[in-house]
Structures are given as C-alpha cells and as structure tokens.
C-alpha cells in the first residue's frame, strides 16, 4: 500500500509538455496523438509500428509522459543493436559468474524499469529462443536473472516498436503468435513523412534553428526552391533522413543561406519548373513561410486547388486540408471584376 501512495501523476505543466518534441499539426499526426492520449493513462502494452525514422521513440516518450508513471524510469533498449548472445542479459540481468565474462552482477532493463516504462525498439529482432521469456514476464510480471534461480517480481509498462511487419513474421513462423498478440494490445501506426508533407516546413525550420545554434552559425534564409524540394521529396528515411540532410545543409551554408543538400537530379525531378525568386527569411514567421509556399504553388497551377493537377496534390495534401490551410493563412485567389456577381461578391469556386 505504501508504494501506491508514492505514485506520481503528471502536473498540468507536465501534461502540456508531453508532446513538446513532436513537431507538426497535420491530420495524420493529430490522429496518432489522439491515440496516445487515449492509451497513455492505462497500463496496457502498446505496439508502435511504422517505417524507420518516423519517430517511434518520441511517441513512446509521449506515452510515458502522459501516463501515471511519469516521473518514474523510462528505460529503452534497441533489440537490434545488442548481440543475440547478450540480449537476454540486457533484458533480465545476470549474476556474477553466470557465463564467461560475467565478472559482476548486472541489473537488466526490466528491473531498471520497475514502476516505470520499458521501451523495446525493433522488438521483431528478438530471437525465437528468447521470445518465450519475454512472453512470461509480460504475462506473469516475473523473471529470473541469468545464473540465479530466484524469481523477481516486476511492475513494468511495456511499449514495443518495430519497422517490420510482425503479423507477416508470425505467418512465416519467424515470430511467436502468442507474443505478438500480447504485444499488439493497442497498436499505433505512425505515418511516413510522405503522408504528412504539410509538417515538413515546420520540421525544416526546427532543425535549421537547432543545428545553427549547435554549430554557432547563422542561417537567415531558406530559398523557396529548397523548401519546396524538401516538401516534395519522397523521404524514404523519413524524419531521420530529413534531420540528417538539414544538418548537412547547415554545415555547408554560406552567407546565411541554406543550400540544397539533395542531389541535383533529385531536385530537378521533384520541382522541374519551380520559380526560384521567393525566399524564406529568418525574419519571417513559420506562418509567413508556409503562406509563401502555398501561394507560389497555387500561382504555378493557375489557382487550381483540387484534382490530380491541383495544388493540393502537388503539396501532398487533401483538398479540404489545403482549403482549410488557405482560410487560416488568409490566402484568396486574385479576383477580376468580371468574376463578381455585380455586388463585388465572388461565388465559391474552389
């Protein structure tokens, strides 16, 4: 009972900060954050799936920060980064002399995460021989260290992640079905960066500021063609690739201008006819930069919003999303007098 009295709950300020490192406000991202808010207050196991580089660890952190376990340990382990013969020791710990090289007792990640959250990244890389032991600790909340017959009780909330399709691995006999079902209590599928392109300008601005500060460099402007290239590139490596390329661009920047870190052929394929006159300046707000990109795209396409050749498709947005963005940014199609109804009012056409 005494332990229950020490459970810490997020304060209002902590709750406001739970998503502070997650950048963007696209519909795809908002849907994920709604799921986080639904599952976080529970102790249910969460399985985060998505392509590599989509921010699975950030979502795991958000789940922990919005839970009743906030203030307790958040322990992480990348299962793909640990040699298979050492993974069991990393998870459950070992006693001195348990195997060659075990010169001292070691506490495993489950024990370290007691009363808190354990994040297992790349859980699909756990070898079949070790999967029953992971299943046991999830079901029974107990385990033994290597070289020790004593059972340890543990209270851990597990968040697992994988960029592999665990369902297909089960079908191919590469992953235990009972463990998969135990992990898949509450699945969260993260969108790729291609599915949330409207977040790219904000992400680029964030990373430019971050790396400029770290390197002691000043980047005052992001040319419009560079921002458009970022927004229309396919990003197979998702946010991690974007972050790395922005870091490269900041390193290469001269005279306060961000250069294009993409290969020339990639840029030509993405935006072959982009007008290169507009510039995103540091004095401009993110909203100003977003407005400039939307207006330039609309002007290029004759202010066509919907359809396969419209600005929405070009920007990777839904038509309704772009219309809402235009209203929010105060963007309106230039009107000729003959288009009005005689009272200076223009019929809705987009």
């Amino acid at each position: 009972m005494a332990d229950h009295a020490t459970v810490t709950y997020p304060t209002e300020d902590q709750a406001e900060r739970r998503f502070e490192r997650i950048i963007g406000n696209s519909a795809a991202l908002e849907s994920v954050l709604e799921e986080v808010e639904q599952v976080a207050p529970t102790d249910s196991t969460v399985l985060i799936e998505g392509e590599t580089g989509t921010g699975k660890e950030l979502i795991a952190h958000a789940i922990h920060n919005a839970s009743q376990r906030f203030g307790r340990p958040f322990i992480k382990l990348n299962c793909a980064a640990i040699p298979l013969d050492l993974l069991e020791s990393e998870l459950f710990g070992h006693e001195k002399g348990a195997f060659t090289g075990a010169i001292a007792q070691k506490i495993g990640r489950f024990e370290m995460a007691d009363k808190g959250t354990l994040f297992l990244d790349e859980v699909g890389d756990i070898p079949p021989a070790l999967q029953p032991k992971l299943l046991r600790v999830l079901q029974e909340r107990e385990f033994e260290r290597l070289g020790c017959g004593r059972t340890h009780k543990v209270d851990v909330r597990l968040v697992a992640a994988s960029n592999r399709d665990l369902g297909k691995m089960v079908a191919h006999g590469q992953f235990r079905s009972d463990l998969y079902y135990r992990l898949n209590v509450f699945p969260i599928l993260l969108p790729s960066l291609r599915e949330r392109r409207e977040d790219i300008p904000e992400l680029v601005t964030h990373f430019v500021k971050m790396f400029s500060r770290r390197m002691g460099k000043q980047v005052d402007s992001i040319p419009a063609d560079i921002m458009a290239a970022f927004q229309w590139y396919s990003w197979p490596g998702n946010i991690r690739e974007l972050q790395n390329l922005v870091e490269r661009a900041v390193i290469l920047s001269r005279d306060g201008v961000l250069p294009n870190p993409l290969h020339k052929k990639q840029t030509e394929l993405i935006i072959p006819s982009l007008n290169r006159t507009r510039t995103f300046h540091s004095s401009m707000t993110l909203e100003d930069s977003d407005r400039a990109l939307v207006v330039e795209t609309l002007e290029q396409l004759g202010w066509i919003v919907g359809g396969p050749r419209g600005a929405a498709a070009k920007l990777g947005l839904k038509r309704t999303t772009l219309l809402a963005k235009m209203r929010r940014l105060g963007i309106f199609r230039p009107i000729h007098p003959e288009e009005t109804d005689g009272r200076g009012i223009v019929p809705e056409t987009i």
Side-chain angles (χ1 to χ4, degrees):
M1 292 296 294
D3 188 65
H4 289 291
T6 63
V7 172
T8 57
Y9 294 84
T11 65
E12 183 177 347
D13 183 54
Q14 290 165 346
E16 289 177 356
R17 295 200 309 265
R18 65 191 183 275
F19 299 146
E20 64 182 350
R21 296 176 59 199
I22 300 174
I23 307 298
N25 55 15
S26 62
L29 182 60
E30 290 294 332
S31 177
V32 167
L33 298 184
E34 286 177 8
E35 292 180 320
V36 168
E37 290 185 319
Q38 288 176 324
V39 75
T42 75
D43 268 341
S44 298
T45 301
V46 179
L47 177 61
I48 305 172
E49 296 182 289
E51 296 179 11
T52 184
T54 48
K56 293 186 279 292
E57 184 177 335
L58 284 179
I59 296 299
H61 264 291
I63 292 170
H64 175 73
N65 291 345
S67 76
Q68 297 179 2
R69 296 174 183 261
F70 182 84
R72 300 295 181 84
F74 178 87
I75 305 298
K76 58 186 180 181
L77 177 67
N78 186 333
C79 300
I82 306 297
L84 298 183
D85 56 342
L86 296 180
L87 185 56
E88 183 175 1
S89 173
E90 285 291 332
L91 287 170
F92 306 117
H94 64 251
E95 296 293 336
K96 180 180 179 180
F99 51 85
T100 303
I103 59 176
Q105 183 190 75
K106 176 182 175 65
I107 302 299
R109 303 300 172 99
F110 269 99
E111 214 167 338
M112 293 168 61
D114 192 29
K115 303 296 188 297
T117 302
L118 176 62
F119 173 54
L120 294 183
D121 199 6
E122 304 303 347
V123 71
D125 284 61
I126 293 179
L130 191 53
Q131 292 176 20
K133 296 185 178 182
L134 177 58
L135 178 62
R136 181 196 172 196
V137 73
L138 292 178
Q139 291 180 333
E140 309 296 335
R141 295 179 175 267
E142 62 182 32
F143 66 93
E144 289 86 34
R145 295 182 194 146
L146 284 172
C148 177
R150 186 165 69 90
T151 297
H152 294 266
K153 292 286 186 178
V154 70
D155 175 17
V156 172
R157 198 266 182 86
L158 183 71
V159 179
S162 178
N163 62 7
R164 304 170 69 181
D165 189 328
L166 296 185
K168 288 183 178 179
M169 292 181 67
V170 169
H172 296 150
Q174 299 170 330
F175 201 84
R176 288 180 64 106
S177 60
D178 48 3
L179 177 57
Y180 171 65
Y181 298 134
R182 188 64 186 81
L183 293 172
N184 199 38
V185 174
F186 194 92
I188 295 179
L189 179 62
L190 298 193
S192 67
L193 194 52
R194 298 180 300 281
E195 297 171 285
R196 41 178 295 213
R197 292 182 187 274
E198 58 266 50
D199 291 335
I200 291 176
E202 188 173 356
L203 285 162
V204 171
T205 302
H206 169 76
F207 290 135
V208 167
K209 290 179 179 178
M210 181 179 75
F211 290 119
S212 297
R213 184 170 57 251
R214 287 183 185 177
M215 299 176 194
K217 301 188 72 172
Q218 186 172 349
V219 178
D220 297 317
S221 64
I222 305 174
D225 58 342
I226 307 304
M227 185 65 85
F230 279 133
Q231 193 155 18
W232 291 334
Y233 178 53
S234 61
W235 299 113
N238 293 291
I239 299 172
R240 185 178 297 123
E241 183 184 11
L242 174 64
Q243 179 176 340
N244 292 340
L245 282 177
V246 170
E247 181 177 7
R248 180 193 304 172
V250 172
I251 293 171
L252 297 173
S253 64
R254 293 181 179 178
D255 301 321
V257 179
L258 192 78
N260 190 351
L262 294 167
H263 293 301
K264 184 178 179 180
K265 289 184 178 180
Q266 291 174 318
T267 305
E268 290 173 347
L269 288 172
I270 298 166
I271 44 172
S273 60
L274 185 65
N275 185 320
R276 299 170 180 262
T277 58
R278 284 197 177 91
T279 301
F280 294 81
H281 296 283
S282 60
S283 59
M284 298 172 68
T285 65
L286 176 62
E287 187 174 278
D288 292 334
S289 301
D290 206 12
R291 181 185 294 108
L293 181 61
V294 171
V295 169
E296 181 155 1
T297 304
L298 287 165
E299 288 178 348
Q300 288 178 355
L301 301 174
W303 288 84
I304 299 173
V305 175
R309 297 183 179 180
K314 195 76 170 178
L315 291 169
L317 305 175
K318 293 182 179 178
R319 176 181 177 275
T320 53
T321 301
L322 179 55
L323 288 173
K325 182 186 285 286
M326 290 169 63
R327 284 192 291 270
R328 178 172 59 81
L329 296 174
I331 298 174
F332 303 98
R333 181 170 62 88
I335 302 302
H336 297 290
E338 60 269 19
E339 294 183 87
T340 67
D341 62 356
R343 296 175 297 166
I345 299 175
V346 182
E348 179 66 42
T349 59
I350 54 177

